[in-house]
Amino acid sequence: MLTCAHCTVTACRDAGTEKIPANCPMRDETAMRESVRKYRDDGLLPFFQASAAVEADGYCQWPRLREVGEFCRRMGYRRIGVAFCIGLQREARVVVDVLRRYGLEVHSVICKTGGVDKAEMGIPQCHYIRPGTVEVMCNPVAQAEFLNRAGSEFNVIVGLCVGHDSLFIKYSEAPVTTLVAKDRALAHNPVGAIYGAEGYQKMRVEAPDQG
């Protein structure tokens, strides 16, 4: 079992291996060497270098929206995709406008594209948000396919649902980053539940006992 979240040594921070725990993944030297090799051999080095540059240059100064724009600029991207939730259409419009000011050609696709009834996917009425109505499903596969056809070089998620975001990433041909992680209960600030998981948010975070 890998338990980095509970590690009290974090020898990795100092690039040291003298005091690493018995189950530390760094003990697998073959896997470590292979991962580093892939940056060079799989053509990932420019992408990783641009990531590191944006991290350093904007550290604790730039909001994530600017980081996205700066990263695209440093990678030389020209065509960007934005996959967004209909509930964040206003926010998506702002994102698109900002990214266009970076000189980018921005294509945006809404989650409800296609207008497909959830019933076609075998979703029962008890799992509708408004039972008894025609409810259009989110369509992350179509979002990805439309952006693929548009030739996007980098895609940005704005508030896709849990699971829908995973499907979008799976079918996107371009690399994907998340700008907004959906959390309807906390104004799309999921870290709020983490900070309060042992306090005020405890009852909302933990699943009821399944017995």
Side-chain angles (χ1 to χ4, degrees), residues 50-74 102 179:
S51 303
V54 168
E55 175 192 12
D57 293 349
Y59 198 74
C60 294
Q61 299 295 320
W62 296 347
R64 190 173 179 90
L65 179 54
R66 179 171 176 180
E67 289 184 340
V68 171
E70 294 284 350
F71 179 77
C72 292
R73 174 182 288 169
R74 294 174 195 225
Y102 278 84
L179 177 60

Side-chain angles (χ1 to χ4, degrees), residues 15-175:
T17 58
E18 297 82 5
K19 300 179 179 179
I20 62 175
N23 66 331
C24 178
M26 290 200 303
R27 288 191 176 275
D28 189 340
E29 296 181 4
T30 301
M32 290 292 104
R33 285 194 300 270
E34 179 67 10
S35 67
V36 172
R37 180 195 63 76
K38 287 181 178 179
Y39 289 102
R40 296 185 176 89
D41 296 354
D42 292 0
L44 303 177
L45 206 52
F47 193 95
F48 186 75
Q49 289 170 339
S51 303
V54 168
E55 175 192 12
D57 293 349
Y59 198 74
C60 294
Q61 299 295 320
W62 296 347
R64 190 173 179 90
L65 179 54
R66 179 171 176 180
E67 289 184 340
V68 171
E70 294 284 350
F71 179 77
C72 292
R73 174 182 288 169
R74 294 174 195 225
M75 283 298 297
Y77 293 146
R78 305 307 303 169
R79 188 172 296 150
I80 307 301
V82 173
F84 69 95
C85 167
I86 193 169
L88 284 89
Q89 186 170 14
R90 181 177 62 179
E91 292 83 351
R93 187 178 302 121
V94 173
V95 170
V96 170
D97 290 345
V98 169
L99 293 179
R100 283 177 176 164
R101 291 199 288 271
Y102 278 84
L104 299 167
E105 177 185 319
V106 186
H107 296 256
S108 58
V109 184
I110 199 166
C111 64
K112 300 297 184 181
T113 186
V116 180
D117 190 340
K118 287 181 178 180
E120 290 195 31
M121 294 294 106
I123 300 173
Q125 284 281 327
C126 63
H127 289 153
Y128 276 37
I129 297 171
R130 299 174 184 83
T133 67
V134 173
E135 199 161 284
V136 173
M137 63 176 254
C138 294
N139 198 343
V141 173
Q143 286 179 289
E145 294 293 349
F146 281 126
L147 292 178
N148 292 342
R149 293 182 184 185
S152 63
E153 300 166 278
F154 191 66
N155 289 330
V156 181
I157 288 176
V158 177
L160 298 188
C161 299
V162 172
H164 297 161
D165 53 1
S166 304
L167 290 172
F168 176 80
I169 292 168
K170 178 179 176 65
Y171 285 94
S172 171
E173 293 175 0

